[in-house]
Coordinates of all heavy atoms in Angstrom, one line a residue:
M930 N 22.4 -20.8 -27.5 CA 23.4 -19.9 -27.2 C 23.0 -18.8 -26.3 O 21.9 -18.2 -26.5 CB 24.0 -19.3 -28.5 CG 25.0 -18.2 -28.3 SD 26.1 -17.8 -29.6 CE 26.8 -19.4 -30.1
K931 N 23.7 -18.4 -25.3 CA 23.4 -17.4 -24.4 C 24.2 -16.1 -24.8 O 25.2 -16.2 -25.5 CB 23.7 -17.7 -23.0 CG 22.9 -18.9 -22.5 CD 23.0 -19.0 -20.9 CE 22.0 -20.0 -20.4 NZ 22.6 -21.2 -19.9
C932 N 23.7 -15.0 -24.2 CA 24.4 -13.7 -24.5 C 25.8 -13.7 -24.2 O 26.7 -13.2 -24.9 CB 23.7 -12.6 -23.8 SG 22.0 -12.3 -24.3
K933 N 26.1 -14.4 -23.0 CA 27.5 -14.5 -22.6 C 28.4 -15.2 -23.6 O 29.5 -14.8 -23.9 CB 27.6 -15.2 -21.3 CG 28.5 -14.6 -20.2 CD 28.2 -15.1 -18.9 CE 28.8 -16.5 -18.6 NZ 28.5 -17.0 -17.3
D934 N 27.8 -16.3 -24.2 CA 28.6 -17.0 -25.2 C 28.7 -16.2 -26.5 O 29.7 -16.2 -27.1 CB 27.8 -18.3 -25.5 CG 27.6 -19.2 -24.3 OD1 28.6 -19.3 -23.5 OD2 26.5 -19.7 -24.1
F935 N 27.6 -15.5 -26.8 CA 27.7 -14.7 -28.0 C 28.8 -13.6 -27.9 O 29.6 -13.4 -28.8 CB 26.3 -14.0 -28.2 CG 26.3 -13.1 -29.4 CD1 25.9 -13.6 -30.6 CD2 26.7 -11.7 -29.3 CE1 25.9 -12.7 -31.7 CE2 26.7 -10.9 -30.4 CZ 26.3 -11.4 -31.6
L936 N 28.8 -12.9 -26.7 CA 29.8 -11.9 -26.6 C 31.2 -12.4 -26.6 O 32.1 -11.7 -27.0 CB 29.5 -11.1 -25.3 CG 28.2 -10.3 -25.3 CD1 27.8 -9.9 -23.9 CD2 28.2 -9.2 -26.2
K937 N 31.3 -13.6 -26.1 CA 32.7 -14.2 -26.1 C 33.2 -14.4 -27.5 O 34.4 -14.3 -27.8 CB 32.6 -15.6 -25.4 CG 33.8 -15.9 -24.5 CD 33.5 -17.1 -23.6 CE 33.3 -18.4 -24.3 NZ 32.8 -19.5 -23.4
E938 N 32.3 -14.7 -28.4 CA 32.7 -15.0 -29.8 C 32.6 -13.8 -30.7 O 32.9 -13.9 -31.9 CB 31.8 -16.1 -30.4 CG 31.7 -17.4 -29.5 CD 33.1 -18.1 -29.4 OE1 34.0 -17.8 -30.3 OE2 33.3 -18.9 -28.6
L939 N 32.0 -12.7 -30.2 CA 31.7 -11.5 -31.0 C 32.9 -11.0 -31.8 O 32.8 -10.8 -33.0 CB 31.2 -10.4 -30.1 CG 30.8 -9.1 -30.9 CD1 29.8 -9.4 -32.0 CD2 30.3 -8.1 -29.9
N940 N 34.1 -11.0 -31.1 CA 35.3 -10.5 -31.8 C 35.7 -11.3 -33.0 O 36.0 -10.8 -34.1 CB 36.4 -10.5 -30.8 CG 36.9 -9.1 -30.5 OD1 36.1 -8.1 -30.8 ND2 38.0 -8.9 -29.9
E941 N 35.6 -12.6 -32.7 CA 36.0 -13.6 -33.8 C 35.0 -13.4 -35.0 O 35.3 -13.5 -36.1 CB 36.0 -15.0 -33.3 CG 37.3 -15.4 -32.8 CD 37.8 -14.6 -31.5 OE1 36.9 -14.2 -30.7 OE2 39.0 -14.4 -31.4
Y942 N 33.7 -13.3 -34.6 CA 32.7 -13.2 -35.5 C 32.9 -11.9 -36.4 O 32.8 -12.0 -37.7 CB 31.3 -13.1 -34.8 CG 30.2 -12.8 -35.8 CD1 29.8 -13.7 -36.7 CD2 29.5 -11.6 -35.7 CE1 28.7 -13.4 -37.6 CE2 28.4 -11.3 -36.5 CZ 28.0 -12.2 -37.5 OH 27.0 -11.9 -38.3
L943 N 33.2 -10.8 -35.8 CA 33.4 -9.6 -36.6 C 34.7 -9.7 -37.4 O 34.8 -9.1 -38.5 CB 33.5 -8.4 -35.7 CG 32.1 -8.1 -35.0 CD1 32.3 -6.9 -34.0 CD2 31.1 -7.7 -36.0
D944 N 35.7 -10.5 -36.9 CA 36.9 -10.7 -37.7 C 36.7 -11.6 -38.8 O 37.5 -11.7 -39.7 CB 38.0 -11.2 -36.8 CG 38.6 -10.1 -35.9 OD1 38.4 -8.9 -36.2 OD2 39.3 -10.4 -35.0
G945 N 35.6 -12.4 -38.7 CA 35.4 -13.5 -39.7 C 36.3 -14.7 -39.5 O 36.4 -15.5 -40.4
N946 N 36.8 -14.8 -38.3 CA 37.7 -15.9 -38.0 C 37.1 -17.1 -37.3 O 37.6 -17.7 -36.4 CB 38.8 -15.4 -37.1 CG 40.0 -14.7 -37.8 OD1 40.2 -15.1 -39.0 ND2 40.7 -13.8 -37.2
I947 N 35.8 -17.4 -37.7 CA 35.1 -18.5 -37.0 C 34.6 -19.5 -38.0 O 34.5 -19.1 -39.2 CB 33.9 -18.0 -36.1 CG1 33.0 -17.1 -37.0 CG2 34.4 -17.2 -34.9 CD1 31.7 -16.8 -36.3
D948 N 34.3 -20.7 -37.5 CA 33.9 -21.7 -38.5 C 32.4 -21.5 -38.8 O 31.7 -20.8 -38.0 CB 34.2 -23.1 -38.0 CG 33.5 -23.4 -36.7 OD1 32.2 -23.3 -36.6 OD2 34.2 -23.8 -35.7
V949 N 31.9 -22.1 -39.8 CA 30.6 -21.8 -40.3 C 29.5 -22.2 -39.3 O 28.5 -21.4 -39.1 CB 30.3 -22.6 -41.6 CG1 28.9 -22.4 -42.2 CG2 31.4 -22.2 -42.7
Q950 N 29.7 -23.3 -38.6 CA 28.7 -23.7 -37.6 C 28.5 -22.7 -36.5 O 27.4 -22.3 -36.2 CB 29.3 -25.0 -37.0 CG 28.5 -25.5 -35.8 CD 27.2 -26.2 -36.2 OE1 27.1 -26.9 -37.2 NE2 26.2 -26.0 -35.3
L951 N 29.6 -22.2 -36.0 CA 29.6 -21.2 -35.0 C 28.9 -19.9 -35.5 O 28.1 -19.3 -34.8 CB 31.0 -20.9 -34.4 CG 31.0 -20.1 -33.1 CD1 30.2 -20.6 -32.0 CD2 32.5 -20.0 -32.7
K952 N 29.3 -19.5 -36.7 CA 28.8 -18.3 -37.3 C 27.3 -18.4 -37.4 O 26.5 -17.4 -37.1 CB 29.4 -18.1 -38.7 CG 29.2 -16.8 -39.2 CD 29.8 -16.6 -40.6 CE 29.4 -15.3 -41.2 NZ 29.6 -15.1 -42.6
T953 N 26.8 -19.6 -37.8 CA 25.3 -19.8 -37.9 C 24.6 -19.6 -36.6 O 23.6 -19.0 -36.5 CB 25.0 -21.2 -38.5 OG1 25.8 -21.4 -39.7 CG2 23.6 -21.4 -38.8
E954 N 25.3 -20.2 -35.5 CA 24.7 -20.1 -34.2 C 24.6 -18.6 -33.7 O 23.7 -18.1 -33.1 CB 25.5 -20.9 -33.2 CG 25.2 -22.4 -33.4 CD 26.1 -23.2 -32.4 OE1 26.4 -22.7 -31.3 OE2 26.5 -24.3 -32.8
L955 N 25.7 -17.9 -34.0 CA 25.8 -16.5 -33.6 C 24.7 -15.7 -34.4 O 24.0 -14.8 -33.8 CB 27.1 -15.9 -34.0 CG 28.3 -16.4 -33.1 CD1 29.6 -16.0 -33.7 CD2 28.2 -16.0 -31.7
E956 N 24.5 -16.0 -35.7 CA 23.5 -15.2 -36.4 C 22.1 -15.6 -36.0 O 21.2 -14.8 -36.0 CB 23.7 -15.5 -37.9 CG 24.8 -14.6 -38.4 CD 25.4 -14.9 -39.8 OE1 25.0 -16.0 -40.3 OE2 26.3 -14.2 -40.3
E957 N 21.9 -16.8 -35.6 CA 20.6 -17.2 -35.0 C 20.3 -16.4 -33.8 O 19.2 -16.0 -33.5 CB 20.6 -18.7 -34.7 CG 20.1 -19.5 -35.9 CD 20.3 -21.0 -35.7 OE1 20.4 -21.5 -34.5 OE2 20.3 -21.7 -36.7
H958 N 21.3 -16.3 -32.9 CA 21.2 -15.5 -31.7 C 20.8 -14.1 -32.0 O 19.9 -13.5 -31.4 CB 22.5 -15.5 -30.9 CG 22.3 -14.9 -29.6 ND1 21.9 -15.6 -28.4 CD2 22.5 -13.6 -29.2 CE1 21.9 -14.7 -27.4 NE2 22.3 -13.5 -27.8
L959 N 21.4 -13.5 -33.0 CA 21.1 -12.1 -33.4 C 19.6 -12.0 -33.9 O 19.1 -10.9 -33.8 CB 22.0 -11.7 -34.6 CG 23.5 -11.3 -34.1 CD1 24.3 -11.0 -35.3 CD2 23.5 -10.2 -33.1
Q960 N 19.1 -13.1 -34.4 CA 17.7 -13.0 -34.9 C 16.7 -12.7 -33.8 O 15.7 -12.0 -34.1 CB 17.3 -14.4 -35.5 CG 18.1 -14.8 -36.7 CD 17.8 -13.9 -37.9 OE1 16.7 -13.7 -38.3 NE2 18.9 -13.5 -38.6
W961 N 17.0 -13.2 -32.6 CA 15.9 -12.9 -31.6 C 16.4 -12.1 -30.4 O 15.7 -11.6 -29.6 CB 15.5 -14.3 -31.0 CG 16.5 -15.2 -30.4 CD1 17.2 -16.2 -31.1 CD2 17.0 -15.1 -29.1 NE1 18.1 -16.7 -30.2 CE2 18.0 -16.1 -29.0 CE3 16.7 -14.3 -28.0 CZ2 18.7 -16.3 -27.8 CZ3 17.5 -14.6 -26.8 CH2 18.4 -15.6 -26.7
C962 N 17.7 -11.9 -30.3 CA 18.3 -11.1 -29.2 C 18.6 -9.7 -29.7 O 19.7 -9.5 -30.3 CB 19.5 -11.8 -28.6 SG 20.1 -10.9 -27.1
H963 N 17.7 -8.8 -29.4 CA 18.0 -7.4 -29.8 C 19.2 -6.8 -29.1 O 19.9 -6.0 -29.8 CB 16.7 -6.6 -29.6 CG 16.8 -5.1 -30.0 ND1 16.9 -4.8 -31.3 CD2 17.0 -4.0 -29.3 CE1 17.0 -3.5 -31.5 NE2 17.1 -2.9 -30.3
N964 N 19.4 -7.1 -27.9 CA 20.5 -6.5 -27.2 C 21.8 -6.8 -27.8 O 22.7 -6.0 -28.0 CB 20.5 -7.1 -25.7 CG 19.4 -6.5 -24.9 OD1 18.9 -5.4 -25.2 ND2 19.0 -7.1 -23.8
C965 N 22.0 -8.1 -28.2 CA 23.3 -8.5 -28.8 C 23.4 -7.9 -30.2 O 24.5 -7.6 -30.7 CB 23.4 -10.0 -28.8 SG 23.8 -10.7 -27.2
F966 N 22.2 -7.8 -30.8 CA 22.2 -7.2 -32.2 C 22.8 -5.8 -32.1 O 23.6 -5.4 -32.9 CB 20.8 -7.2 -32.7 CG 20.6 -6.6 -34.1 CD1 21.0 -7.4 -35.2 CD2 20.1 -5.3 -34.3 CE1 20.8 -6.9 -36.5 CE2 20.0 -4.8 -35.5 CZ 20.4 -5.6 -36.6
V967 N 22.3 -5.0 -31.1 CA 22.8 -3.7 -30.9 C 24.3 -3.6 -30.6 O 25.0 -2.8 -31.2 CB 22.0 -2.9 -29.8 CG1 22.6 -1.6 -29.5 CG2 20.5 -2.7 -30.3
V968 N 24.7 -4.5 -29.7 CA 26.1 -4.5 -29.3 C 26.9 -4.9 -30.5 O 28.0 -4.3 -30.8 CB 26.3 -5.6 -28.2 CG1 27.8 -5.8 -28.0 CG2 25.7 -5.1 -26.9
C969 N 26.5 -5.9 -31.3 CA 27.2 -6.3 -32.5 C 27.4 -5.1 -33.5 O 28.4 -4.9 -34.0 CB 26.4 -7.5 -33.1 SG 27.3 -8.1 -34.6
N970 N 26.3 -4.4 -33.7 CA 26.3 -3.3 -34.7 C 27.2 -2.2 -34.1 O 28.0 -1.6 -34.9 CB 24.9 -2.7 -34.8 CG 24.2 -3.4 -36.0 OD1 24.9 -4.0 -36.9 ND2 22.9 -3.2 -36.1
T971 N 27.1 -1.9 -32.9 CA 27.9 -0.8 -32.3 C 29.3 -1.1 -32.3 O 30.2 -0.3 -32.7 CB 27.4 -0.6 -30.8 OG1 26.0 -0.4 -30.8 CG2 28.1 0.7 -30.2
T972 N 29.7 -2.4 -32.0 CA 31.1 -2.8 -32.0 C 31.6 -2.8 -33.4 O 32.7 -2.3 -33.7 CB 31.2 -4.2 -31.5 OG1 30.6 -4.3 -30.2 CG2 32.7 -4.6 -31.3
R973 N 30.8 -3.2 -34.4 CA 31.3 -3.2 -35.8 C 31.5 -1.8 -36.2 O 32.5 -1.5 -36.9 CB 30.2 -3.9 -36.6 CG 30.7 -4.0 -38.1 CD 29.6 -4.5 -39.0 NE 29.4 -5.9 -38.9 CZ 28.2 -6.5 -38.9 NH1 27.1 -5.8 -38.9 NH2 28.1 -7.8 -38.9
K974 N 30.6 -0.9 -35.9 CA 30.8 0.5 -36.3 C 32.0 1.1 -35.7 O 32.8 1.8 -36.3 CB 29.5 1.3 -35.9 CG 28.5 1.3 -37.0 CD 27.3 2.1 -36.7 CE 26.1 1.7 -37.5 NZ 24.8 1.7 -36.8
T975 N 32.2 0.8 -34.4 CA 33.4 1.3 -33.7 C 34.6 0.8 -34.4 O 35.6 1.6 -34.6 CB 33.4 0.8 -32.2 OG1 32.1 1.1 -31.7 CG2 34.4 1.6 -31.4
I976 N 34.7 -0.4 -34.7 CA 35.8 -1.0 -35.4 C 36.1 -0.3 -36.7 O 37.2 0.1 -37.1 CB 35.6 -2.5 -35.7 CG1 35.7 -3.3 -34.3 CG2 36.7 -3.0 -36.6 CD1 35.3 -4.7 -34.4
E977 N 35.0 0.0 -37.4 CA 35.1 0.6 -38.7 C 35.7 2.1 -38.6 O 36.5 2.5 -39.4 CB 33.7 0.7 -39.4 CG 33.4 -0.6 -40.2 CD 32.0 -0.7 -40.6 OE1 31.2 0.3 -40.5 OE2 31.6 -1.8 -41.0
I978 N 35.2 2.8 -37.6 CA 35.7 4.1 -37.3 C 37.2 4.1 -37.0 O 37.9 4.9 -37.6 CB 34.9 4.7 -36.1 CG1 33.5 5.1 -36.5 CG2 35.6 6.0 -35.6 CD1 32.5 5.3 -35.4
Y979 N 37.6 3.1 -36.2 CA 39.0 3.0 -35.9 C 39.8 2.6 -37.1 O 40.9 3.1 -37.3 CB 39.2 2.1 -34.7 CG 39.1 2.8 -33.4 CD1 37.8 3.0 -32.8 CD2 40.2 3.3 -32.7 CE1 37.7 3.6 -31.6 CE2 40.0 3.9 -31.5 CZ 38.8 4.1 -31.0 OH 38.6 4.8 -29.8
R980 N 39.2 1.8 -37.9 CA 40.0 1.4 -39.1 C 40.2 2.6 -40.1 O 41.2 2.8 -40.7 CB 39.2 0.3 -39.8 CG 39.6 -1.1 -39.3 CD 39.1 -2.2 -40.2 NE 39.2 -3.5 -39.5 CZ 38.3 -4.5 -39.6 NH1 37.3 -4.4 -40.3 NH2 38.5 -5.6 -38.9
D981 N 39.1 3.4 -40.2 CA 39.1 4.5 -41.1 C 40.2 5.5 -40.6 O 40.8 6.2 -41.4 CB 37.7 5.2 -41.1 CG 36.7 4.4 -41.9 OD1 37.2 3.5 -42.6 OD2 35.5 4.7 -41.8
N982 N 40.3 5.6 -39.3 CA 41.3 6.5 -38.8 C 42.7 5.9 -38.6 O 43.6 6.5 -38.1 CB 40.9 7.0 -37.4 CG 39.7 7.9 -37.6 OD1 39.6 8.8 -38.5 ND2 38.7 7.8 -36.7
E983 N 42.8 4.6 -39.1 CA 44.0 3.9 -39.0 C 44.6 3.8 -37.6 O 45.7 3.9 -37.3 CB 45.1 4.5 -39.9 CG 44.7 4.3 -41.4 CD 45.7 4.8 -42.4 OE1 46.8 5.2 -41.9 OE2 45.4 4.9 -43.6
V984 N 43.6 3.7 -36.7 CA 43.9 3.5 -35.3 C 43.5 2.0 -35.0 O 42.4 1.6 -35.3 CB 43.2 4.4 -34.3 CG1 43.6 4.1 -32.9 CG2 43.6 5.9 -34.7
Y985 N 44.3 1.3 -34.3 CA 44.0 -0.1 -34.1 C 44.6 -0.6 -32.8 O 45.5 0.0 -32.3 CB 44.5 -1.0 -35.2 CG 46.0 -0.9 -35.4 CD1 46.8 -1.8 -34.8 CD2 46.6 0.2 -36.1 CE1 48.2 -1.7 -34.9 CE2 47.9 0.3 -36.2 CZ 48.8 -0.6 -35.7 OH 50.1 -0.5 -35.8
P986 N 44.1 -1.7 -32.2 CA 42.8 -2.3 -32.5 C 41.8 -1.7 -31.7 O 42.0 -0.6 -31.1 CB 43.1 -3.7 -32.1 CG 44.0 -3.6 -30.9 CD 44.8 -2.3 -31.2
L987 N 40.6 -2.3 -31.7 CA 39.5 -1.8 -30.9 C 39.9 -1.7 -29.4 O 40.3 -2.8 -28.9 CB 38.3 -2.7 -31.0 CG 37.0 -2.3 -30.2 CD1 36.5 -0.9 -30.7 CD2 36.0 -3.3 -30.3
P988 N 39.9 -0.6 -28.8 CA 40.4 -0.5 -27.4 C 39.5 -1.4 -26.4 O 38.3 -1.4 -26.5 CB 40.2 1.0 -27.0 CG 39.8 1.7 -28.2 CD 39.3 0.7 -29.2
D989 N 40.2 -2.1 -25.6 CA 39.5 -3.0 -24.7 C 38.5 -2.3 -23.8 O 37.4 -2.9 -23.6 CB 40.6 -3.7 -23.8 CG 41.2 -4.8 -24.6 OD1 40.7 -5.2 -25.6 OD2 42.3 -5.3 -24.2
P990 N 38.8 -1.1 -23.3 CA 37.8 -0.5 -22.4 C 36.4 -0.3 -23.0 O 35.4 -0.5 -22.4 CB 38.4 0.8 -22.0 CG 39.9 0.6 -22.2 CD 40.0 -0.3 -23.4
I991 N 36.4 0.0 -24.3 CA 35.2 0.2 -25.0 C 34.5 -1.1 -25.2 O 33.3 -1.3 -24.9 CB 35.4 0.8 -26.4 CG1 35.9 2.3 -26.2 CG2 34.2 0.7 -27.3 CD1 36.2 2.9 -27.5
R992 N 35.2 -2.1 -25.5 CA 34.6 -3.4 -25.7 C 34.1 -4.0 -24.4 O 33.0 -4.5 -24.3 CB 35.6 -4.4 -26.3 CG 35.0 -5.5 -27.1 CD 36.0 -6.3 -27.8 NE 37.0 -6.8 -26.9 CZ 38.3 -6.9 -27.3 NH1 38.7 -6.5 -28.4 NH2 39.2 -7.3 -26.4
D993 N 34.9 -3.8 -23.3 CA 34.5 -4.3 -22.0 C 33.2 -3.6 -21.6 O 32.3 -4.2 -21.0 CB 35.6 -4.0 -21.0 CG 36.7 -5.0 -21.2 OD1 36.6 -5.9 -22.0 OD2 37.8 -4.8 -20.5
R994 N 33.1 -2.3 -21.8 CA 32.0 -1.5 -21.4 C 30.7 -2.0 -22.1 O 29.7 -2.1 -21.5 CB 32.2 0.0 -21.6 CG 31.9 0.7 -20.3 CD 32.3 2.2 -20.4 NE 31.9 2.8 -21.7 CZ 32.5 3.9 -22.2 NH1 33.6 4.4 -21.6 NH2 32.1 4.4 -23.3
L995 N 30.9 -2.2 -23.4 CA 29.7 -2.7 -24.1 C 29.3 -4.1 -23.6 O 28.1 -4.3 -23.4 CB 30.2 -2.9 -25.6 CG 30.2 -1.6 -26.5 CD1 30.8 -1.9 -27.8 CD2 28.8 -1.1 -26.7
Q996 N 30.2 -4.9 -23.3 CA 29.9 -6.3 -22.9 C 29.2 -6.2 -21.5 O 28.3 -6.9 -21.3 CB 31.1 -7.2 -22.9 CG 31.6 -7.4 -24.3 CD 32.7 -8.4 -24.4 OE1 33.2 -8.9 -23.4 NE2 33.1 -8.8 -25.6
Q997 N 29.8 -5.4 -20.7 CA 29.2 -5.3 -19.3 C 27.8 -4.8 -19.4 O 26.9 -5.3 -18.7 CB 30.0 -4.4 -18.4 CG 31.2 -5.2 -17.8 CD 32.3 -4.2 -17.3 OE1 32.0 -3.1 -17.1 NE2 33.5 -4.7 -17.1
A998 N 27.6 -3.8 -20.2 CA 26.2 -3.2 -20.4 C 25.2 -4.3 -20.9 O 24.1 -4.4 -20.3 CB 26.3 -2.1 -21.4
I999 N 25.6 -5.1 -21.8 CA 24.7 -6.0 -22.4 C 24.4 -7.2 -21.4 O 23.3 -7.6 -21.2 CB 25.2 -6.6 -23.7 CG1 24.2 -7.6 -24.3 CG2 26.5 -7.3 -23.6 CD1 23.0 -6.9 -24.8
V1000 N 25.4 -7.6 -20.7 CA 25.3 -8.7 -19.7 C 24.3 -8.2 -18.6 O 23.4 -8.9 -18.1 CB 26.6 -9.2 -19.1 CG1 26.4 -10.0 -17.9 CG2 27.4 -9.9 -20.2
A1001 N 24.6 -7.0 -18.1 CA 23.7 -6.4 -17.1 C 22.3 -6.3 -17.5 O 21.4 -6.6 -16.8 CB 24.3 -5.0 -16.7
K1002 N 22.1 -5.9 -18.7 CA 20.8 -5.8 -19.3 C 20.0 -7.1 -19.3 O 18.9 -7.2 -18.9 CB 20.8 -5.2 -20.7 CG 19.8 -4.1 -20.9 CD 20.0 -3.5 -22.3 CE 19.1 -2.3 -22.5 NZ 19.3 -1.6 -23.7
C1003 N 20.7 -8.1 -19.8 CA 20.1 -9.4 -19.9 C 19.8 -10.0 -18.5 O 18.7 -10.5 -18.3 CB 21.1 -10.4 -20.6 SG 21.2 -10.0 -22.4
K1004 N 20.7 -9.8 -17.6 CA 20.5 -10.2 -16.2 C 19.2 -9.6 -15.6 O 18.4 -10.2 -15.1 CB 21.7 -9.8 -15.4 CG 22.4 -11.0 -14.8 CD 23.4 -10.5 -13.8 CE 24.7 -11.3 -13.7 NZ 25.8 -10.6 -13.2
H1005 N 19.2 -8.3 -15.9 CA 18.0 -7.5 -15.4 C 16.7 -8.0 -15.9 O 15.8 -8.2 -15.2 CB 18.2 -6.0 -15.8 CG 17.2 -5.1 -15.3 ND1 17.3 -4.7 -14.0 CD2 16.1 -4.5 -15.8 CE1 16.3 -3.8 -13.7 NE2 15.5 -3.7 -14.8
K1006 N 16.7 -8.4 -17.1 CA 15.5 -8.9 -17.8 C 15.1 -10.2 -17.1 O 13.9 -10.4 -16.9 CB 15.8 -9.1 -19.3 CG 14.5 -8.9 -20.1 CD 14.8 -8.6 -21.5 CE 15.2 -9.9 -22.3 NZ 15.4 -9.6 -23.7
H1007 N 16.1 -11.1 -16.9 CA 15.8 -12.4 -16.3 C 15.2 -12.2 -14.9 O 14.3 -12.9 -14.5 CB 17.1 -13.2 -16.2 CG 17.4 -13.8 -17.5 ND1 16.6 -14.7 -18.1 CD2 18.4 -13.7 -18.4 CE1 17.1 -15.1 -19.3 NE2 18.2 -14.5 -19.5
D1008 N 15.8 -11.2 -14.2 CA 15.3 -11.0 -12.8 C 13.9 -10.7 -12.7 O 13.2 -11.0 -11.7 CB 16.1 -9.9 -12.1 CG 17.6 -10.4 -11.8 OD1 17.8 -11.6 -11.9 OD2 18.4 -9.5 -11.6
H1009 N 13.4 -10.1 -13.8 CA 12.0 -9.6 -13.7 C 11.0 -10.4 -14.6 O 9.9 -10.0 -14.7 CB 12.0 -8.1 -14.1 CG 12.6 -7.2 -13.2 ND1 12.0 -6.6 -12.1 CD2 13.9 -6.9 -13.1 CE1 12.8 -5.9 -11.4 NE2 14.0 -6.0 -12.0
S1010 N 11.5 -11.5 -15.1 CA 10.7 -12.2 -16.0 C 9.8 -13.2 -15.4 O 8.8 -13.7 -16.0 CB 11.6 -13.0 -17.1 OG 12.4 -13.9 -16.4
S1011 N 10.0 -13.6 -14.1 CA 9.2 -14.6 -13.5 C 8.1 -14.1 -12.6 O 7.4 -13.2 -12.9 CB 10.1 -15.4 -12.5 OG 10.6 -14.6 -11.5
Ligands
ZN1714 ZN1 22.0 -12.0 -26.6

């Protein structure tokens, strides 16, 4: 699983709306990918904050910004890894 795939499923993962197989793959990704781990935690916290305030759903701009940041970071790492 790549970061892009992870981020695509992140919402479903946080909602708990995914099948066990996919959930396992996502959690495996979190084991070694610190970037996605951070994004996952941040997104979850953001969702919780909004839920507490009874504001819903998670605003797209925040999610988009998080996802762009993580994708850019991963790309950057790849560019310099060789
Ligand atoms: Zn990742």
Side-chain angles (χ1 to χ4, degrees):
M930 173 161 307
K931 294 196 171 111
C932 293
K933 225 163 78 180
D934 302 317
F935 179 89
L936 293 169
K937 217 166 64 187
E938 307 294 345
L939 179 60
N940 247 16
E941 270 64 34
Y942 173 66
L943 292 174
D944 281 348
N946 275 334
I947 53 168
D948 62 58
V949 180
Q950 170 76 36
L951 188 56
K952 194 179 171 194
T953 308
E954 285 176 34
L955 292 170
E956 277 166 356
E957 269 171 22
H958 186 88
L959 283 177
Q960 296 290 312
W961 59 264
C962 185
H963 181 69
N964 286 339
C965 286
F966 182 78
V967 169
V968 170
C969 184
N970 267 346
T971 309
T972 308
R973 185 189 279 139
K974 271 182 199 141
T975 310
I976 290 170
E977 277 166 9
I978 288 164
Y979 272 84
R980 273 192 193 145
D981 287 349
N982 290 319
E983 293 180 12
V984 179
Y985 62 94
L987 180 65
D989 282 344
I991 290 177
R992 209 172 52 215
D993 287 351
R994 232 174 42 207
L995 279 171
Q996 295 191 351
Q997 276 163 20
I999 182 71
V1000 167
K1002 223 175 186 178
C1003 288
K1004 244 193 213 157
H1005 187 75
K1006 209 160 83 178
H1007 280 299
D1008 287 346
H1009 292 271
S1010 61
S1011 61

